[in-house]
Amino acid sequence: MILSQAVGNLIAFGVYAILLVVLAGQAFTWNENRTRFYLAGRNLGLRASLSTFCATWMSAASLVGYTLWFYRDGYVAFTGSVNGWMLGLLALPFAVIRLRKSRALSLPEWLASEYGDIRLRTLGASALLLAYVFYIVTQFQAFGGIVSHMLDIPSWVASLLVYLFVLYTTFGGLASVASSDEMNLALILIGVTVPAAYMLGRLGNPIELHRSFAALGPDLMRPFGTERPTFIFPMMLAWGLGVAANPQYAIRIMSASSRRTAYSMLVLAPLIVGWIYVCLTLTGMGGRVLLPSLAGPGDDAAFSTLITAILPPLPAMLLLVGVLAAAVSTANSQLLLAACSWCYDLPFHDRTLHRGDFGSEERFLVRNRFAIAAIASLCLCISQLPLPGILRLGRYSWTVVALCFFLPMYLPERYRTRRLFPAVVAALALHHLLLWLFPLPAEMTMLPSLLLELTFVLAGPERTET
Amino acid sequence: METRIKTVVALLSLVLIASLAGVSLYQGYAGRIEDDSTRILNVRDEFARLDPNGASRLLRKIAEDWKLAPLHERGAIPLVTAAGTLYALPDDRTILAAIIFRQRHVLVTGVIGLLLAVEAAIFLAWGLSRPLKRLAWAFDQIRSGSWVTLPPSRKQPYEVRRLTAIFNDMVDTLQRWKKLERQISRMDRLASLGQMVAGVSHEIRNPLASMRIHLDLLSDHVSDEGTESLRILGDELDRLNRTVSQLLAFASPRPPLSGPVAVNDLIRWCHQMLHASLRAGITWDASLDDDGLELWGDPQQLRQMLLNLLLNAQEAMPGGGAVRLAARKDGNTVEFRVSDTGPGLPDVLLERIFDPFVTTKGDGTGLGLSIVHRIVELHGGHIEYATSPQGTTFIVRIPAGREETRQ
């Protein structure tokens, strides 16, 4: 490793920490209540909504995973992941009106009120908590792995850094998350744009870069790579459904100051997210041209080897900060939702607001902060265990969330009176059974489970309770 | 407050971390230069046999980040080579970078320390601002008309405990003032109302009496078809007369004609009166006192008091429910409890429930509870109520003996 690069990375960490402390939001605001804590008072403007939407979208796992996948297998990465995600983004505008019509503070609460079944709230919250715990673990792992290789520090120390950054920004609720996400998105954009610009400066314009990349092998140019379309297409579809049903985005739709802001956010987000993917594609492409073979014990080690080998110290440092910003921005959003599920949606706690009692709301919000700290600490501990890998955990989380929320969010109005709970339970059971019985990726087992859920809903009886 | 505390703590932590890191780096740098210089000086004589390239190679072998320069600079070590004197100079930037990298754990720990300090500062600020927030909330509650007090806690610091005590005293004083103000205002209103009502009632009562007499006379000369109309007319006149009598009783209350009253007699009388007029869907339960309780009071007024409360309870439950009357000895007083299972009193009426002409019923005079209150006052007693969406209970305490009544 180049010494000055390691020093630059160390300094970048310090600067990021100071920037976060100075720019991120306040934790205990004077007039806080649960609506402000979970939904920023439903008052996020376009800039804040767009920033938090895009920053949350770009996780450390996505930045590392997509770049490496493109580097190794070429355009199949674009087909399998970016296409799917964008497909999910196209569905989100259809959920705006029904999500914003409700006064619910969380997606499980919305689910229960929309379908008149309180069990759906418990089920949705449990699934969300489980899925996000695993997903936060992947963020800690992804970042911890990369930084431990780049700075030659223990992986748990690097994960501890992200843990502290995430805690700091989450304690203030969604408003604090959104304000830190503005900074994080700017850092992600800089972090991916400068390396891409460096690649173009070094290897010529995008067309020349593309030609050089194509010359490395025909498989890199195939939309389905060396895989069968029957494998890639379900993966794309499953990830798309996962995006469309992801509570992170639903919450950002609910917290926007108006319906118009929500629609504008969804219209502008693809431009920003698309730009990031274009930059990562150019970096992955340039990386393959400059360093045709790459060996590493895992994705994180391979990524750090790649960026130190192909990028000068400054772009490499900026990309690393971008990965840190992506890890923090995704993990804090998920941590907030996990805490919300634990404290607000699961029926173990008193969630009633006693208006004449000052302590009632305060105790509730303090309990949320303890939940945030507890869940983050749990994720930090799990991230240090030998786990099946970032991608598998991410896929599992994604699919569980999709099974719980996709159909409820997009079912046509006339099916709203159907009994949904048995359908979701059956789908989750089938999904886990298939995962346990067959060595298939979670995306493959999700689709039949989703079909089963749809069949249950369409063929099942109407609910009797009102 | 949080931003300020956070800024101060963050700045202090930064200064501390920067100082520690600076000292550590400086020591590392100075130690490295000293070690390298010692090694170079130990082999100084060997340079005399080497040309500049050989000298350069030897220097790098001994001290990795040093270089040879032809000119003297500060801190340089002169070395005599075969080609003349050259100067060994440390490459500060490279050495510093190597030291920073070697001490990266210190720097990473510094960043972790900074974040921990700031996160601790957030909770410190919360702990400090919490009592202020609570106080602001309590003031806001009082501004919006609900009386709250803050529970004192021994865990709080002395300053906060003192502030809480002062606030609670203030609320207490304000409440007493408010009560006094309400009483004065009520008395003023009652006095003027009394005068007006007495005058008007007298003016109405006489013509009513005359109308009643003439109606009775008329009944002998009216055919069968008109008898029913005359009866209705008579009933309405009687009702009007009762209302006027109530108004008069309220406006010019007579002092109680006190004597010993058996509580069980009162309850039996209430049972007879209420049982006959009980509406469908309402159950009535009165428990007789086993101890044969007696009190000193005006039996007629006490009956009126209980009947008013019981009728009120019955009317508070249009959809049905249960009315209950109970009496017991409570110290030197006799306590009557009249409860219903109605929807409770509306919030807007809570402060004015005993004021005259305040009623929730469309056809009520709003005098029932005012008269109850007046009778209780005349007997030296006390009335209070507890209301919730599950029902309302009126609790009347009348002194049991002569002495207490006088007091």
Side-chain angles (χ1 to χ4, degrees), chain A residues 3 6-7 10 17-18 25-30 151-152 157 160-161 164-165 167-168 171 356-358 362 366, chain B residues 2 6 10 14 97-98 100-101 104-105 107-108 111-112 115-116 118-119 122-123 126 130 132-134 136-137:
Chain A
L3 203 59
V7 174
L10 273 171
I18 293 166
Q26 204 180 357
F28 292 91
T29 50
W30 184 261
L151 296 183
D152 196 17
V157 176
L160 181 68
L161 269 174
L164 290 172
F165 286 133
L167 272 193
Y168 177 71
F171 276 145
D357 176 12
F358 168 74
E362 201 200 26
V366 169
Chain B
E2 185 188 309
K6 214 164 72 177
L14 268 179
I100 290 175
F101 185 70
R104 62 196 179 283
H105 293 103
L107 295 170
V108 171
V111 174
I112 290 173
L115 288 168
L116 283 175
V118 174
E119 275 163 29
I122 290 172
F123 282 91
W126 171 67
R130 191 172 176 266
L132 296 176
K133 219 166 166 179
R134 201 167 65 131
W137 171 83

Side-chain angles (χ1 to χ4, degrees), chain B residues 58-136:
Chain B
L58 179 63
L59 182 66
R60 282 196 183 280
K61 205 172 158 189
I62 300 164
E64 197 183 351
D65 298 318
W66 288 62
K67 59 187 176 187
L68 281 175
L71 296 174
H72 181 262
E73 281 180 38
R74 199 166 150 264
I77 301 171
L79 296 170
V80 180
T81 66
T85 303
L86 290 170
Y87 298 91
L89 276 172
D91 183 351
D92 287 344
R93 215 173 141 180
T94 316
I95 291 173
L96 210 55
I99 290 168
I100 290 175
F101 185 70
R102 202 179 302 149
Q103 299 202 349
R104 62 196 179 283
H105 293 103
V106 177
L107 295 170
V108 171
T109 311
V111 174
I112 290 173
L114 171 71
L115 288 168
L116 283 175
V118 174
E119 275 163 29
I122 290 172
F123 282 91
L124 176 71
W126 171 67
L128 290 174
S129 64
R130 191 172 176 266
L132 296 176
K133 219 166 166 179
R134 201 167 65 131
L135 204 62

Side-chain angles (χ1 to χ4, degrees), chain A residues 355-415:
Chain A
R355 294 203 179 274
D357 176 12
F358 168 74
S360 157
E361 189 73 338
E362 201 200 26
R363 274 194 302 276
F364 176 78
L365 293 173
V366 169
R367 200 161 60 221
N368 270 273
R369 283 162 176 127
F370 278 111
I372 285 169
I375 296 169
S377 306
L378 176 74
C379 293
L380 181 66
C381 295
I382 298 177
S383 72
Q384 302 310 307
L385 301 173
L387 290 168
I390 294 170
L391 209 58
R392 276 183 74 182
L393 284 179
R395 283 165 168 174
Y396 174 74
S397 312
W398 221 236
T399 50
V400 166
V401 164
L403 286 175
C404 283
F405 297 108
F406 181 74
L407 274 187
M409 276 173 72
Y410 296 98
L411 261 185
E413 205 68 46
R414 64 174 178 276
Y415 295 113

Side-chain angles (χ1 to χ4, degrees), chain A residues 86-153:
Chain A
M86 290 298 178
L87 197 72
L89 188 54
L90 286 178
L92 282 170
F94 295 102
V96 169
I97 291 177
R98 55 182 64 169
L99 284 175
R100 292 189 59 83
K101 212 165 50 180
S102 157
R103 301 310 289 168
L105 299 183
S106 68
L107 201 59
E109 188 189 8
W110 174 84
L111 199 62
S113 67
E114 191 77 359
Y115 289 89
D117 190 342
I118 194 72
R119 293 173 303 173
L120 282 170
R121 186 172 181 182
T122 308
L123 182 70
S126 311
L128 200 150
L129 189 61
L130 179 80
Y132 278 168
V133 162
F134 281 124
Y135 212 81
I136 296 166
V137 168
T138 66
Q139 303 300 318
F140 287 173
Q141 274 193 332
F143 184 77
I146 294 167
V147 173
S148 79
H149 280 95
M150 294 194 76
L151 296 183
D152 196 17
I153 56 173

Side-chain angles (χ1 to χ4, degrees), chain B residues 286 348 390:
Chain B
V348 285
Q390 284 74 44

Side-chain angles (χ1 to χ4, degrees), chain A residues 123-450:
Chain A
L123 182 70
S126 311
L128 200 150
L129 189 61
L130 179 80
Y132 278 168
V133 162
F134 281 124
Y135 212 81
I136 296 166
V137 168
T138 66
Q139 303 300 318
F140 287 173
Q141 274 193 332
F143 184 77
I146 294 167
V147 173
S148 79
H149 280 95
M150 294 194 76
L151 296 183
D152 196 17
I153 56 173
S155 165
W156 69 267
V157 176
S159 297
L160 181 68
L161 269 174
V162 193
Y163 163 83
L164 290 172
F165 286 133
V166 168
L167 272 193
Y168 177 71
T169 49
T170 319
F171 276 145
L174 188 60
S176 164
V177 167
S179 78
S180 67
D181 279 351
E182 289 186 32
M183 184 186 99
N184 284 328
L185 180 66
L187 291 174
I188 294 170
L189 282 170
I190 295 168
V192 298
T193 307
V194 172
Y198 169 79
M199 287 297 167
L200 292 179
R202 187 160 169 194
L203 299 169
N205 61 39
I207 297 165
E208 287 169 19
L209 182 57
H210 182 262
R211 278 194 197 124
S212 312
F213 185 68
L216 294 172
D219 285 347
L220 295 174
M221 305 306 292
R222 290 196 187 115
F224 296 103
T226 52
E227 298 286 352
R228 290 190 307 276
T230 48
F231 178 78
I232 297 296
F233 192 73
M235 181 187 284
M236 180 186 99
L237 194 62
W239 285 11
L241 300 181
V243 164
N246 197 321
Q248 292 180 129
Y249 311 129
I251 283 298
R252 272 140 188 85
I253 289 172
M254 289 157 88
S255 64
S257 59
S258 65
R259 198 179 286 176
R260 188 189 165 91
T261 307
Y263 280 123
S264 308
M265 173 183 84
L266 294 174
V267 168
L268 294 174
L271 302 178
I272 295 176
V273 172
W275 172 257
I276 294 172
Y277 285 128
V278 167
C279 291
L280 291 176
T281 304
L282 291 173
T283 306
M285 215 185 272
R288 182 69 187 252
V289 172
L290 292 174
L291 188 73
S293 69
L294 179 65
D299 275 0
D300 28 3
F303 185 78
S304 59
T305 310
L306 177 70
I307 65 170
T308 43
I310 61 169
L311 293 174
L314 182 67
M317 181 193 81
L318 291 174
L319 185 55
L320 183 71
V321 172
V323 175
L324 170 60
V328 172
S329 63
T330 311
N332 61 13
S333 155
Q334 292 171 342
L335 189 55
L336 184 64
L337 287 175
C340 173
S341 292
W342 178 252
C343 296
Y344 184 63
D345 288 316
L346 288 179
F348 308 132
H349 312 283
D350 177 19
R351 56 192 175 211
T352 321
L353 172 61
H354 305 285
R355 294 203 179 274
D357 176 12
F358 168 74
S360 157
E361 189 73 338
E362 201 200 26
R363 274 194 302 276
F364 176 78
L365 293 173
V366 169
R367 200 161 60 221
N368 270 273
R369 283 162 176 127
F370 278 111
I372 285 169
I375 296 169
S377 306
L378 176 74
C379 293
L380 181 66
C381 295
I382 298 177
S383 72
Q384 302 310 307
L385 301 173
L387 290 168
I390 294 170
L391 209 58
R392 276 183 74 182
L393 284 179
R395 283 165 168 174
Y396 174 74
S397 312
W398 221 236
T399 50
V400 166
V401 164
L403 286 175
C404 283
F405 297 108
F406 181 74
L407 274 187
M409 276 173 72
Y410 296 98
L411 261 185
E413 205 68 46
R414 64 174 178 276
Y415 295 113
R416 292 290 164 108
T417 50
R418 297 296 167 92
R419 290 176 65 188
L420 194 69
F421 182 75
V424 179
V425 170
L428 285 173
L430 179 66
H431 181 57
H432 285 92
L433 185 73
L434 292 175
L435 275 178
W436 183 58
L437 288 178
F438 306 104
L440 288 170
E443 302 92 302
M444 304 293 277
T445 61
M446 184 196 113
L447 291 175
S449 310
L450 197 67

